[in-house]
């Protein structure tokens, strides 16, 4: 085990000796990642302080940051009661490869159920997509209210 670690360290050091530009690239990437982390924290602070213009500017700069979907998810949850079906669908399609897409959908359905606009709830409820919603029985009471 110890021999494998030493061997790996020697190969790593050798790669920097043979390719001097590689160490500069790693250093630049680390600095860039630190700046992105700081921007991420600042964007969250902007969101929770309702500084939405600043939030959007920071979020746009973080488009390639791995945690950017979580930033957009937090925004959607923060304003879920104002979210339109189109905004939820856009979020779901943009982040379909993350667990956040279905989570956002379920939160949106729960919000609709609490507020009671039954027509949109009935129209968008998909039991296969949201089997774990807290209100699986609500489509039935929603039926008379949408006729």
């Amino acid at each position: 085990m110890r021999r494998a670690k030493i061997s790996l360290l020697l190969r790593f050091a050798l790669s920097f000796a043979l390719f001097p530009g590689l160490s500069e690239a790693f250093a630049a990437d680390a600095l860039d990642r630190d700046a992105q982390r700081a921007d991420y924290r600042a964007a969250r602070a902007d969101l929770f302080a309702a500084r939405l213009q600043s939030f959007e500017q920071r979020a746009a700069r973080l488009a390639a940051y791995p945690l950017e979907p979580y930033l957009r998810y937090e925004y959607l949850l923060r304003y879920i009661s104002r979210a339109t079906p189109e905004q939820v669908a856009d979020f779901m399609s943009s982040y379909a490869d993350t667990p956040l897409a279905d989570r956002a959908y379920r939160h949106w359905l729960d919000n609709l159920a609490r507020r009671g606009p039954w027509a949109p709830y009935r129209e968008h409820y998909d039991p296969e997509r949201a089997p774990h919603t807290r209100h699986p029985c609500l489509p039935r009471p929603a039926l008379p209210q949408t006729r």
Side-chain angles (χ1 to χ4, degrees), residues 64-112:
Y65 187 58
L67 297 180
E68 187 265 347
Y70 291 89
L71 200 57
R72 295 298 181 177
Y73 175 73
E74 287 178 342
Y75 175 86
L76 183 64
L77 287 189
R78 180 103 172 148
Y79 297 101
I80 197 82
S81 62
R82 297 185 209 162
T84 65
E86 293 78 22
Q87 289 170 320
V88 174
D90 286 347
F91 181 88
M92 289 171 58
S93 66
S94 296
Y95 303 109
D97 58 340
T98 72
L100 300 176
D102 286 340
R103 254 188 239 167
Y105 174 69
R106 288 191 304 267
H107 280 291
W108 181 66
L109 284 176
D110 287 343
N111 185 269
L112 286 176

